[in-house]
Amino acid sequence: MLKGSIVALVTPFDEDNKINYSEFDKLLEYQISNHTDGILLLGTTAESESLSREEKYDLVCHALHFLDKRIPVMVGLISNNTKEIVRMAEEYKSLDIDSFLVSAPYYVKSNTEGLIRHFTYIADHVNRPIVLYNVPKRNGFNLDFELVRILSYHKNIIGIKEASSDFVYQSKLSTICKDSFVLYAADDLTLIPSLSLGAVGVISVIANAFPKEVKLIVDSFDKDKVMSRMVFKKISLLTEDIYKEASPIPIKYLLHLMGFHTKKVRMPLAEPSLELKRKLEEDLLTLTNED
């Protein structure tokens, strides 16, 4: 089971709007060299909904070949079609993937019984462990307590990436779910409170830029909370910045400022506003000068 600092990796594009695999390798190696604990491919931060079926498969295969088992890999399965998710997972059946991240279906606001059937069907038909993804800002609703409690007892559902930033919700999950069912923080801004409520790690956006720092925040939390909070504070301004516009617009621009070729995003996304560009530039300069 993946624990610690897991980066929700961006997907770099070249000037022709194709996946830039040479830059992708640099991003992967940057994470490896900074001892990140795991990599999530094809999440929201990867602009997965703008990638074709063939691009998704090629990206995962390329990453696994390049990484050569040096780090565990989680893959996002994002769709509001239950059987389509199973079909997507089937394509990756022979690949060495650690787990799948499965979001609540967007646009289709199902009832609780429908969601139980949706997640159960997927978990019954895929050959890798499932991590649920609760992201009400994008899906329009919270996965309710009873739903998560029931799903936590499925042998193939191992945890939840929780992005509601509702600490009462997170606290209650820890009391009603199966003991082995784990919580992953999903909001970098509230990482410290989530760790205090028992999160085993974070699936992080800011770790694209600061993998060493995010790992230190997570690893030191139980042993040295002062250190954990100090590092969290160090990158807090830029962490706030990357949530000011839709992900991954700001984090890709921040990486661009750090020397990676990640400036381009695919429609319907666009470059960050001029105001946010200036803010990212100023806050990165401040952080660099402090170092």
Side-chain angles (χ1 to χ4, degrees), residues 94-150:
S94 63
L95 304 181
D96 191 21
I97 293 167
D98 183 80
S99 54
F100 289 122
L101 179 70
V102 180
S103 171
Y106 54 85
Y107 189 74
V108 181
K109 291 187 178 181
S110 178
N111 58 13
T112 299
E113 180 59 29
L115 288 170
I116 290 173
R117 294 181 183 185
H118 169 77
F119 285 114
T120 300
Y121 184 88
I122 294 166
D124 284 346
H125 288 82
V126 302
N127 68 335
R128 294 288 186 275
I130 297 294
V131 175
L132 308 176
Y133 186 13
N134 184 44
V135 56
K137 288 179 288 187
R138 290 184 179 272
N139 293 340
F141 62 92
N142 239 1
L143 297 178
D144 67 49
F145 296 120
E146 183 61 12
L147 166 69
V148 180
R149 185 192 69 78
I150 291 169

Side-chain angles (χ1 to χ4, degrees), residues 61-77:
C61 288
H62 181 95
L64 292 173
H65 181 263
F66 179 84
L67 293 168
D68 193 24
K69 301 183 180 180
R70 289 182 289 167
I71 187 171
V73 172
M74 180 186 294
V75 172
L77 300 176

Side-chain angles (χ1 to χ4, degrees), residues 189 206 210 232-244 279-280 282-284 286-287 290:
L189 290 169
I206 195 64
F210 302 112
F232 179 81
K233 183 177 180 180
K234 174 185 173 182
I235 62 171
S236 61
L237 285 179
L238 284 162
T239 303
E240 290 173 13
D241 292 345
I242 66 163
Y243 287 95
K244 291 183 184 297
K279 185 74 165 62
L280 286 162
E282 290 168 7
D283 290 343
L284 181 59
T286 299
L287 179 64
E290 286 176 356

Side-chain angles (χ1 to χ4, degrees), residues 74-244:
M74 180 186 294
V75 172
L77 300 176
I78 300 177
S79 175
N80 59 6
N81 183 310
T82 308
K83 292 190 176 182
E84 173 66 9
I85 290 175
V86 172
R87 185 204 61 74
M88 290 162 63
E90 187 68 22
E91 288 190 348
Y92 306 126
K93 190 172 183 178
S94 63
L95 304 181
D96 191 21
I97 293 167
D98 183 80
S99 54
F100 289 122
L101 179 70
V102 180
S103 171
Y106 54 85
Y107 189 74
V108 181
K109 291 187 178 181
S110 178
N111 58 13
T112 299
E113 180 59 29
L115 288 170
I116 290 173
R117 294 181 183 185
H118 169 77
F119 285 114
T120 300
Y121 184 88
I122 294 166
D124 284 346
H125 288 82
V126 302
N127 68 335
R128 294 288 186 275
I130 297 294
V131 175
L132 308 176
Y133 186 13
N134 184 44
V135 56
K137 288 179 288 187
R138 290 184 179 272
N139 293 340
F141 62 92
N142 239 1
L143 297 178
D144 67 49
F145 296 120
E146 183 61 12
L147 166 69
V148 180
R149 185 192 69 78
I150 291 169
L151 293 173
S152 76
Y153 284 88
H154 192 291
K155 64 181 181 179
N156 206 32
I157 298 177
I158 61 171
I160 184 169
K161 178 186 177 186
E162 212 296 285
S164 72
S165 300
D166 183 338
F167 304 125
V168 174
Y169 180 90
Q170 291 183 16
S171 179
K172 188 168 181 179
L173 287 182
S174 67
T175 65
I176 66 172
C177 292
K178 185 179 177 181
D179 289 344
S180 60
F181 185 80
V182 300
L183 169 68
Y184 295 99
D187 185 347
D188 291 304
L189 290 169
T190 58
L191 173 55
I192 295 291
S194 292
L195 290 172
S196 71
L197 291 171
V200 300
V202 60
I203 299 177
S204 171
V205 177
I206 195 64
N208 278 277
F210 302 112
K212 181 172 68 175
E213 287 80 1
V214 175
K215 180 171 173 58
L216 185 55
I217 292 166
V218 177
D219 287 356
S220 64
F221 183 79
D222 289 333
K223 298 170 285 189
D224 188 347
K225 287 183 172 56
V226 173
M227 170 67 78
S228 184
R229 292 191 177 102
M230 183 177 71
V231 179
F232 179 81
K233 183 177 180 180
K234 174 185 173 182
I235 62 171
S236 61
L237 285 179
L238 284 162
T239 303
E240 290 173 13
D241 292 345
I242 66 163
Y243 287 95
K244 291 183 184 297

